[in-house]
Amino acid sequence: MTHASFGLIAGIFTLNPFYAISTTAFAVLIDLDHVLWILGYPVIGRPNHSLPFLLVVSVVFGILFKRRNHFNFRLSTAVASGVFSHMAYDSFVDAPSLPLLMPFSSELISLPTWSWMLFETLAIISALIGLLLSKRKKNEKSI
């Protein structure tokens, strides 16, 4: 299992190939900070593994990639799903502790061993929320 497989599992629940791939890609690309660290650049303690990061990046993607001049809920929830999937995999393979509140606190928060299931469930729920919001908007347009 890899970050990609956890992302794809959640991404399947978008019922859309583009958003499934987006979720999978985001679950993997979050670790780009490792490349910077390997190249010798200073990296500040994994802020991309935190809930504030998840919220900010999801909103930013929803705004930057608007659809028909409206906030892109599908992409926003796919991004959130990818971040949750990444956290799930990290909790699954490593000692489950993450800096969940960074940048407000750099403290690693110890999580129970089953926390990977919680994060992957949140990833799936996020994907389903995006799907439901898109179905609702389609239904509103047809009325």
Side-chain angles (χ1 to χ4, degrees), residues 15 18-19 27 30 47 50 57 63 79 82 86-87 107-108 123-124 136 138:
L15 301 182
F18 173 78
Y19 293 113
I30 288 175
S50 71
V57 77
I63 291 169
V79 168
H86 184 91
M87 291 176 177
E107 180 180 344
L108 291 174
I124 291 167
R136 194 180 103 217
K138 284 180 183 177

Side-chain angles (χ1 to χ4, degrees), residues 37-72:
W37 180 77
I38 289 169
L39 294 174
Y41 292 99
V43 178
I44 301 170
R46 299 173 62 190
N48 49 354
H49 291 71
S50 71
L51 297 175
F53 173 83
L54 180 147
L55 180 65
V56 169
V57 77
S58 296
V59 170
V60 167
F61 270 74
I63 291 169
L64 285 178
F65 298 98
K66 291 181 180 180
R67 292 186 56 144
R68 295 179 193 92
N69 220 15
H70 294 357
F71 185 83
N72 191 338

Side-chain angles (χ1 to χ4, degrees), residues 46 89-97:
R46 299 173 62 190
Y89 183 75
D90 279 359
S91 298
F92 180 71
V93 297
D94 295 329
S97 62

